[in-house]
Amino acid sequence: MFSIGELSRRTGVKVPTIRYYEQSGLMEQPERSAGNQRRYSVAALERLSFIRHARALGLSIDDIGELVELAADPERPCGEAHAIASAHLSAVRARIAKLRKLERELKRIVGLSDAGCLGECSVIHSLADHRYCASEH
Amino acid sequence: MFSIGELSRRTGVKVPTIRYYEQSGLMEQPERSAGNQRRYSVAALERLSFIRHARALGLSIDDIGELVELAADPERPCGEAHAIASAHLSAVRARIAKLRKLERELKRIVGLSDAGCLGECSVIHSLADHRYCASEH
DNA sequence: TCTTGAACCTCTAGCCGCTAGAGGTTGTAG
DNA sequence: CTACAACCTCTAGCGGCTAGAGGTTCAAGA
């Protein structure tokens, strides 16, 4: 049985965040001590590790909620879990693609400015008018 | 003189967003009609285009606020504007690097699951235990 | 056994960048 | 002159926490 602080130390998830996960239904309500303090089992520790890892991979609270449910039900987990993970993979790839475009554009804008500050500022100039952009965004 | 709706149409920024920008100090308070409706000048149109473009590049409201001020003051814009843009470029690059790690990890997890669903679900299995991860996150 | 004081409790509000809705007023075309 | 779209202000909500107020409990040392 761990206190919330000990659970926090062991998982690296901050105390208020653990309470937030409980409030949003991601963590089960734990037992309480005589004085109303939370007392966690090893199972709760494992669940929180799972959540933390999935969050680190960028999955939403909702997605993780689904995965937690699937994990608890060995009858039908695999296909649905796979779908959630691969949908997320697509989303991550889309975000990478978009950020790469931004990177190119910013590089161009910053590079112009490096080339010499004659007259007006080219950073501000580039930002002011989309027509000077190399690509869409 | 444009109404807020016309400004919205011309810039592609939604009406409530324009009001939000005004409230947060990014757009100046415009003139008003006799009946208290906003009336925008061409200068306001240009400013909003600037803001929209900078937002599309992912700059924060605060950063854009600074840039707008710099743009209005031709005495000292270039170096500071450059600093803001290149700091943002670094941030974008860092985000790309992080997302690429996630992509690799997710690909691995999803790939495992594709390889065959024997016994337990490997997606859930991989999420449950960080030790199976190829890299840090 | 008593006393600290760190850790815990609940509740509320704030962060960013919008978005949505209620409930009321104005502008404009027919 | 009427109808109705567009406008107005105000408040609240989204996700995923984070911070603070104000009060209680636990555990170690004297």
Side-chain angles (χ1 to χ4, degrees):
Chain A
M1 286 289 145
F2 316 116
S3 69
I4 197 168
E6 220 171 303
L7 193 67
S8 170
R9 244 166 286 125
R10 280 170 193 251
T11 57
V13 178
K14 288 182 187 165
V15 167
T17 304
I18 297 172
R19 285 197 277 250
Y20 169 74
Y21 287 162
E22 181 183 328
Q23 194 203 274
S24 57
L26 211 47
M27 287 292 287
E28 288 184 317
Q29 304 224 356
E31 289 175 43
R32 299 282 182 142
S33 71
N36 198 35
Q37 299 195 354
R38 288 167 179 84
R39 290 295 174 260
Y40 291 96
S41 64
V42 173
L45 176 73
E46 279 163 6
R47 183 159 177 165
L48 187 55
S49 301
F50 178 102
I51 292 167
R52 178 181 128 85
H53 190 190
R55 280 295 302 142
L57 291 171
L59 288 150
S60 71
I61 298 280
D62 277 4
D63 281 348
I64 297 170
E66 271 219 63
L67 287 171
V68 166
E69 274 191 38
L70 291 172
D73 178 359
E75 299 279 314
R76 39 143 219 157
C78 210
E80 293 167 63
H82 182 265
I84 291 171
S86 54
H88 187 59
L89 177 57
S90 307
V92 166
R93 283 176 171 156
R95 262 161 68 202
I96 289 172
K98 205 175 160 201
L99 281 171
R100 275 221 267 259
K101 274 192 193 167
L102 294 187
E103 188 203 357
R104 274 196 294 276
E105 196 58 42
L106 279 166
K107 205 165 68 185
R108 199 183 56 78
I109 289 173
V110 170
L112 278 180
S113 159
D114 267 342
C117 263
L118 314 163
E120 295 160 328
C121 175
S122 59
V123 170
I124 285 171
H125 204 64
S126 295
L127 286 170
D129 200 333
H130 186 77
R131 280 172 305 180
Y132 299 128
C133 290
S135 59
E136 291 307 303
H137 43 259
Chain B
M1 287 289 146
F2 316 116
S3 69
I4 197 169
E6 219 171 304
L7 194 67
S8 170
R9 245 168 283 125
R10 281 169 192 251
T11 57
V13 178
K14 288 182 188 167
V15 167
T17 304
I18 297 172
R19 287 197 276 249
Y20 169 74
Y21 287 162
E22 181 183 328
Q23 195 204 270
S24 57
L26 211 47
M27 287 292 286
E28 289 184 315
Q29 303 223 359
E31 290 175 41
R32 299 283 181 142
S33 73
N36 198 35
Q37 299 195 355
R38 288 168 179 84
R39 291 294 175 260
Y40 292 96
S41 64
V42 174
L45 176 72
E46 280 164 6
R47 182 160 176 163
L48 187 55
S49 300
F50 178 102
I51 293 167
R52 177 181 128 85
H53 190 191
R55 281 295 302 143
L57 290 171
L59 288 149
S60 71
I61 298 280
D62 277 4
D63 281 348
I64 297 170
E66 272 220 62
L67 287 171
V68 165
E69 275 192 35
L70 291 173
D73 178 358
E75 300 279 316
R76 42 146 215 152
C78 210
E80 293 167 64
H82 183 267
I84 291 171
S86 55
H88 186 59
L89 177 56
S90 306
V92 166
R93 282 178 172 154
R95 262 161 68 203
I96 289 172
K98 203 174 162 202
L99 281 171
R100 274 221 267 261
K101 272 193 194 164
L102 295 187
E103 188 202 359
R104 274 197 292 277
E105 196 57 42
L106 279 166
K107 205 164 70 185
R108 200 183 54 78
I109 290 172
V110 170
L112 278 179
S113 158
D114 267 343
C117 263
L118 314 163
E120 294 161 329
C121 176
S122 59
V123 171
I124 286 171
H125 203 64
S126 296
L127 286 170
D129 199 333
H130 186 77
R131 281 171 305 178
Y132 300 128
C133 289
S135 59
E136 290 306 303
H137 43 258

